[in-house]
Amino acid sequence: MSLRSFGSKLVYGIYSRRLIQQAAGKHPRHIAIMLDGNRRWAREAGFTDVSDGHRAGARKIADFLTWCREADVEVVTMWLLSTDNLSRATEELEPLLEIIADVVDELAQAANSWRIRVVGALELLPEPIAKRLQSAAASTEKRTGMEVNVAVGYGGRQEIADAVKKLLLHHADEGTPIRELAKILDVDHISEHLYTSGQPDPDLIIRTSGEQRLSGFLLWQSAHSEFWFTEAYWPAFRRVDFLRALRDYAWRHRRFGT
């Protein structure tokens, strides 16, 4: 290792420890992240195939989950593919779906402690891919570690529509008259039928790549979330970036509308 590299590593370590100290005492239970910028990273890195960016981004996921586990995060939601992304050209979409299925298979391996829940409209995905995702998630059901939501074929409006459909079908089976349902229907009824039912809403939502919008991510659950945006593309997202997000979250005063 060169003297310059050693110096950079030393400074990086000192700064990381300082960020950890600044974030101490207040950490998010649920972090949601939009893994954005894979294609732009690939193009700027000189790759002609954007799938190389998706592969680089996939390799970052296990590191990110490890950072979250070290920070005592209980739930992580990662948006890997939106419903809008399903309209991409076949020559990009098919490799991307395979990359996603591969990374979920890897996350489900016995060496990892986290539980996986696949959230999204799986019926919109090719059947073989949907089955692989469901099988991988099912293999982790009995684990007691951090919960990891993998959002694939996910859209916030789609989720709310699906929740309302499930609610209506449930009450139809119970024989509840529609006027009676209208009288008792409240926020909690819909929340119980969301993809993330039973989990706390995200405290912190991170988006990489410099974009500063939610694009429909967790529309219902993000009502009181804190947002953190970074210019870094997802494949270039570093642990120090993650620690900055935790530090900034710890410094914010959450009022929850009061």
Side-chain angles (χ1 to χ4, degrees):
M1 181 184 295
S2 68
L3 183 60
R4 182 176 181 180
S5 297
F6 176 78
S8 297
K9 187 174 182 180
L10 179 63
V11 171
Y12 182 89
I14 294 171
Y15 181 50
S16 295
R17 287 192 291 273
R18 181 182 179 187
L19 290 171
I20 292 171
Q21 291 171 351
Q22 291 173 333
K26 181 182 177 183
H27 69 273
R29 293 179 62 197
H30 183 172
I31 291 179
I33 184 164
M34 307 169 71
L35 315 181
D36 199 14
N38 292 329
R39 296 192 295 177
R40 279 169 283 173
W41 177 89
R43 294 187 184 107
E44 292 184 16
F47 293 102
T48 57
D49 185 353
V50 294
S51 292
D52 290 311
H54 295 311
R55 293 187 187 94
R59 290 192 293 270
K60 178 72 65 173
I61 288 174
D63 289 339
F64 176 75
L65 293 178
T66 299
W67 303 336
C68 288
R69 183 175 58 196
E70 292 171 349
D72 294 325
V73 176
E74 298 172 23
V75 183
V76 176
T77 299
M78 305 182 298
W79 198 7
L80 303 188
L81 186 78
S82 72
T83 49
D84 292 336
N85 295 154
L86 293 172
S87 62
R88 289 181 179 177
T90 301
E91 57 268 25
E92 179 184 352
L93 182 59
E94 288 185 351
L96 175 54
L97 288 170
E98 287 292 338
I99 291 168
I100 290 172
D102 287 345
V103 77
V104 174
D105 283 340
E106 291 173 6
L107 294 177
Q109 290 178 0
N112 298 316
S113 62
W114 36 67
R115 287 172 288 165
I116 297 173
R117 180 189 296 193
V118 180
V119 298
L122 295 186
E123 68 275 10
L124 300 180
L125 304 179
E127 186 175 355
I129 295 294
K131 286 184 175 179
R132 282 184 64 185
L133 296 175
Q134 291 171 323
S135 176
S139 71
T140 69
E141 284 181 353
K142 295 183 179 180
R143 297 179 187 173
T144 58
M146 186 173 67
E147 294 184 84
V148 177
N149 298 323
V150 179
V152 183
Y154 175 88
R157 291 177 176 177
Q158 183 70 49
E159 178 181 22
I160 295 170
D162 285 348
V164 173
K165 287 178 184 177
K166 290 177 183 177
L167 187 151
L168 292 175
L169 289 171
H170 170 76
H171 282 278
D173 291 340
E174 296 290 322
T176 308
I178 190 67
R179 290 186 178 276
E180 183 64 26
L181 176 58
K183 291 178 182 178
I184 65 173
L185 182 63
D186 60 16
V187 169
D188 290 337
H189 282 101
I190 295 177
S191 295
E192 290 170 1
H193 292 83
L194 294 171
Y195 300 149
T196 59
S197 62
Q199 298 176 337
D201 289 339
D203 302 294
L204 175 64
I205 297 179
I206 297 171
R207 182 167 189 168
T208 59
S209 86
E211 304 292 349
Q212 297 191 22
R213 58 180 183 273
L214 282 183
S215 300
F217 186 41
L218 300 176
L219 284 176
W220 184 279
Q221 299 93 328
S222 62
H224 297 296
S225 300
E226 298 293 328
F227 306 121
W228 194 84
F229 304 103
T230 176
E231 295 291 328
Y233 296 140
W234 170 246
F237 189 77
R238 303 166 298 168
R239 180 171 178 265
V240 71
D241 298 313
F242 175 71
L243 294 175
R244 285 174 181 149
L246 294 186
R247 186 269 314 272
D248 290 355
Y249 172 82
W251 283 357
R252 296 181 189 181
H253 178 58
R254 304 185 72 196
R255 297 181 178 84
F256 298 97
T258 60

